[in-house]
């Protein structure tokens, strides 16, 4: 199973499902990172597509970049 990054806002309707999913992946010996953003609703990250992006949306994009870059480094090491 490929490593997974699960991102969710603390006010997300699907927060419980995201937590259960991440736990199930971990229980199945998968690699999963669960990032929970305080006070953010569903799909908060799409704010970066508008004129005034939420700072947390910008932070999320930076985290995704770092996370995916770490995967590329790990893949080259194998």
């Amino acid at each position: 199973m490929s490593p997974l990054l699960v991102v969710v806002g603390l006010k997300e309707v699907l927060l419980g499902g995201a937590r259960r999913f991440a736990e199930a992946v971990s229980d199945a010996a998968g690699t999963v990172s669960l990032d929970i953003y305080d006070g953010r609703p569903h799909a908060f990250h799409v704010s970066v597509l508008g004129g005034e992006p939420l700072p947390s949306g910008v932070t999320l994009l930076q985290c995704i970049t770092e996370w995916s870059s770490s995967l590329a480094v790990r893949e080259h090491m194998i």
Side-chain angles (χ1 to χ4, degrees), residues 26-60:
S26 181
D27 289 348
T31 301
V32 61
S33 297
L34 176 62
D35 287 353
I36 301 174
Y37 284 74
D38 188 35
R40 293 290 127 215
H42 180 72
F44 70 92
H45 58 284
V46 298
S47 72
V48 299
L49 301 175
E52 291 277 335
L54 294 170
S56 56
V58 174
T59 299
L60 171 57

Side-chain angles (χ1 to χ4, degrees), residues 1-25:
M1 178 184 309
S2 297
L4 298 172
L5 174 62
V6 178
V7 178
V8 65
L10 197 55
K11 292 186 177 180
E12 166 68 63
V13 172
L14 303 172
L15 175 60
R19 285 181 166 149
R20 287 188 299 276
F21 177 74
E23 185 177 325
V25 170

